[in-house]
């Protein structure tokens, strides 16, 4: 694309100016009643909300009172422009199509959660409702833009969810990478009721387990450790969560059980089950033990 200016001096003259709010020479975002304003100051001003001291209306206060410099609305400040969303009428920061941040977030999420028919996948409607209602929609927009172009980013995960490529099960999320992005989305799905609520430390353990199993070379050992985790360690964690709650130390102990069983399995004869991990000698009253020796917490 050809540039619209001929020289650097012309660029300076057309696009740069001293901001009337911060007194720094920056790119011009607009011309307001009190002078040129940069993008940073413009964004901060239009996000300022409250009761205007001039007209007593509750609205955005991007203007500045000529006498005391207090924040006032666009009407009282004599703005020639408005900051009303072209769809919902909300007054604030405007993005493409003169849409507010919440309407922009709604459009982006609707497109990402499309099931291929032009509509949001029905099972994910509660997730859409939860995300659109967040207190700070710009945080949602930043989340969608995070790690753009990299595999496993939030937008990609949402798109795969919409198309049904990711099953709506906890097990499916525990296999996804990067695990932090998958874990955050899993928590959002639980908060919206799309997935059943599960203790976060159980989810943490289940996300950790596949990576541990992938490091075991012998397929028979993998099967043995997976069975041990499925039928001993996980039931104990779930039982503990039902009785009270799981702490970080309980989660760490569960991982130590798996690691101990892995070492035991590697040193045993083929076909021999791993020995039962012993309780830690440093455990405190109420610390978890193996299922067959567990004491009530």
């Amino acid at each position: 694309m050809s540039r619209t200016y001929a020289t650097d001096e012309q660029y300076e003259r057309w696009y740069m100016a001293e901001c009337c709010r911060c007194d720094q020479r920056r790119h011009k975002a607009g011309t307001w009643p009190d002078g040129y304003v940069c993008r940073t100051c413009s964004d901060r001003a239009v996000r300022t909300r409250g009761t205007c001291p001039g007209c007593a209306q509750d609205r955005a206060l991007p203007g500045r009172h000529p006498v005391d410099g207090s924040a006032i609305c666009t009407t009282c400040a004599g703005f020639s422009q408005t900051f009303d969303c072209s769809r919902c009428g909300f007054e604030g920061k405007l993005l493409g199509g003169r849409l507010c941040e919440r309407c922009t977030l709604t459009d982006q999420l609707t497109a990402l959660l499309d099931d291929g028919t032009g509509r949001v996948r029905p099972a994910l409607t509660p997730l859409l409702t939860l995300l659109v209602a967040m207190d700070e929609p710009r945080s949602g927009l930043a989340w969608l833009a995070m790690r753009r172009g990299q595999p496993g980013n939030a937008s990609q995960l949402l798109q795969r969810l919409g198309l049904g490529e990711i099953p709506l099960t906890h097990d499916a999320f525990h296999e996804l990478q990067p695990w932090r992005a998958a874990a955050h989305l899993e928590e959002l799905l639980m908060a919206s009721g799309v997935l059943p609520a599960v203790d976060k430390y159980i989810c943490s353990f289940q996300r950790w387990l596949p990576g541990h199993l992938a490091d075991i070379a012998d397929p028979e050992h993998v099967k043995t450790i997976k069975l041990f985790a499925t039928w001993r360690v996980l039931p104990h964690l779930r039982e503990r969560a039902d009785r009270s709650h799981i702490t970080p130390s309980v989660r760490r102990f569960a991982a130590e059980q798996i690691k101990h069983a892995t070492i035991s399995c590697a040193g045993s004869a083929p076909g021999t089950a791993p020995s039962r991990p012993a309780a830690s000698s440093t455990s405190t009253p109420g610390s978890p033990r193996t299922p067959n020796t567990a004491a009530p917490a």
Side-chain angles (χ1 to χ4, degrees):
M1 180 183 296
S2 60
R3 63 186 189 178
T4 58
Y5 56 92
T7 64
D8 291 341
E9 290 77 13
Q10 193 177 67
Y11 180 89
E12 277 281 327
R13 188 168 64 252
W14 286 3
Y15 300 108
M16 304 291 289
E18 184 176 297
C19 176
C20 64
R21 300 295 176 93
C22 66
D23 298 326
Q24 300 293 315
R25 187 167 183 80
R26 293 177 173 174
H27 287 86
K28 292 185 289 187
T31 305
W32 288 4
D34 47 336
Y36 294 116
V37 64
C38 69
R39 175 61 62 192
T40 301
C41 292
S42 170
D43 289 353
R44 183 185 299 118
V46 297
R47 288 190 175 111
T48 302
R49 301 192 66 82
T51 301
C52 176
C55 61
Q57 294 187 34
D58 185 16
R59 53 186 299 189
L61 305 175
R64 182 181 275 178
H65 197 283
V67 177
D68 58 13
S70 60
I72 57 178
C73 70
T74 55
T75 303
C76 293
F79 274 66
S80 60
Q81 65 187 107
T82 64
F83 299 97
D84 298 336
C85 175
S86 61
R87 179 182 300 166
C88 70
F90 179 80
E91 187 180 30
K93 168 69 175 174
L94 298 180
L95 302 176
R98 293 188 61 80
L99 294 177
C100 67
E101 292 171 321
R102 195 172 303 279
C103 286
T104 301
L105 176 63
T106 302
D107 285 353
Q108 290 188 17
L109 288 170
T110 300
L112 290 169
L113 297 175
D114 182 0
D115 61 2
T117 66
R119 296 188 297 179
V120 173
R121 183 180 174 186
L124 298 177
T125 301
L127 175 65
L128 175 66
T129 302
L130 175 74
L131 293 174
V132 168
M134 67 173 59
D135 292 336
E136 292 287 345
R138 60 174 164 163
S139 298
L141 292 170
W143 175 57
L144 294 181
M146 192 180 300
R147 300 179 62 252
R148 181 174 292 166
Q150 299 182 40
N153 60 67
S155 294
Q156 186 183 84
L157 290 176
L158 289 171
Q159 191 169 43
R160 292 180 62 194
L161 266 182
L163 295 173
E165 295 176 1
I166 302 176
L168 289 174
T169 65
H170 287 289
D171 288 342
F173 277 86
H174 301 159
E175 299 287 340
L176 294 175
Q177 291 296 332
W179 69 267
R180 282 187 175 84
H184 181 60
L185 183 53
E186 183 182 18
E187 290 175 3
L188 291 173
L189 288 166
M190 286 192 286
S192 63
V194 177
L195 285 178
V198 176
D199 186 281
K200 66 178 182 179
Y201 290 114
I202 293 180
C203 288
S204 172
F205 175 79
Q206 290 179 300
R207 282 191 294 270
W208 168 82
L209 184 60
H212 177 78
L213 294 175
D215 292 335
I216 302 175
D218 191 323
E220 290 302 317
H221 291 174
V222 172
K223 289 173 58 178
T224 302
I225 299 304
K226 192 170 184 178
L227 286 171
F228 177 68
T230 302
W231 296 106
R232 286 199 180 183
V233 180
L234 273 171
H236 176 65
L237 286 175
R238 294 186 180 112
E239 181 185 351
R240 177 64 177 260
D242 290 339
R243 289 201 312 267
S244 54
H245 66 280
I246 296 178
T247 63
S249 62
V250 174
R251 155 67 177 84
R252 287 194 296 271
F253 186 80
E256 289 302 319
Q257 285 182 295
I258 296 298
K259 293 175 183 177
H260 183 99
T262 303
I263 296 171
S264 177
C265 190
S268 63
T272 304
S275 62
R276 182 185 307 155
S280 171
S281 60
T282 59
S283 61
T284 58
S287 296
R289 293 174 173 80
T290 52
N292 290 344
T293 61

